[in-house]
């Protein structure tokens, strides 16, 4: 797994029960996702120059431990599969100080042509980068 995110639980991330609300787990996993894409060559420059994008089409999250204000979080990511148009990958969120697993999420993202608003094949470098990481 590769590190894709580091952050902290802030007071505004808490819900009325005093722990990080589910919307913030999703937001932090989303930030990790963009770092993961960049490692595969799917950078902001690529998306702008080629009029491409990504869309999440499936996500399953497991909440394992509470994240509280001040907790330092990190995400590690691994690729699961890549085909012509879709990536499947998994994020693991940890408390950075205790190394306790906080949550996991598995996602499927589709490569998009933003001009015609439909899925399209990845460039060859995506599968190559995926393989370079041993996934």
């Amino acid at each position: 797994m590769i590190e894709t995110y580091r952050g902290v639980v802030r007071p505004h991330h808490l819900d009325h029960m005093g722990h990080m609300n589910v919307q913030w787990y999703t937001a932090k996993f989303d930030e990790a996702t963009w770092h993961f894409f960049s490692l595969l060559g799917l950078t902001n420059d690529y998306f702008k120059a080629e009029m491409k994008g990504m869309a999440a089409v499936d996500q399953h999250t497991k909440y394992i431990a509470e994240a509280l204000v001040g907790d330092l979080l990190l995400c590690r990511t691994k690729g699961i599969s890549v085909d012509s148009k879709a990536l499947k990958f998994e994020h693991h969120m940890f408390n950075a100080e205790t190394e306790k697993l906080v949550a996991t999420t598995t996602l499927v993202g589709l490569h998009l042509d933003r001009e015609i608003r439909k899925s399209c094949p990845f460039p060859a470098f995506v599968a190559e980068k995926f393989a370079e990481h041993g996934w």
Side-chain angles (χ1 to χ4, degrees), residues 13-26:
H13 295 154
L14 303 184
D15 60 21
H16 64 285
M17 293 182 288
H19 57 252
M20 189 166 71
N21 187 270
V22 296
Q23 70 180 312
W24 295 103
Y25 288 84
T26 302

Side-chain angles (χ1 to χ4, degrees), residues 86-102:
L87 278 172
K88 185 173 185 180
F89 54 98
E90 185 173 88
H91 298 301
H92 290 213
M93 181 183 292
F94 297 89
N95 178 305
E97 294 177 316
T98 66
E99 298 185 19
K100 184 174 184 177
L101 184 63
V102 173

Side-chain angles (χ1 to χ4, degrees), residues 106-125:
T106 304
L107 296 110
V108 175
L110 283 181
H111 189 237
L112 297 176
D113 182 314
R114 293 187 309 160
E115 292 177 315
I116 62 172
R117 308 301 289 178
K118 293 190 181 218
S119 64
C120 64
F122 284 115
F125 64 76

Side-chain angles (χ1 to χ4, degrees), residues 42 46-47 50-54 82-87 109-113 116 118-127:
L42 299 170
Y46 164 79
F47 290 129
E50 301 298 324
M51 285 300 294
K52 299 296 190 253
M54 293 293 294
V82 61
D83 64 26
S84 66
K85 298 179 182 181
L87 278 172
L110 283 181
H111 189 237
L112 297 176
D113 182 314
I116 62 172
K118 293 190 181 218
S119 64
C120 64
F122 284 115
F125 64 76
V126 173

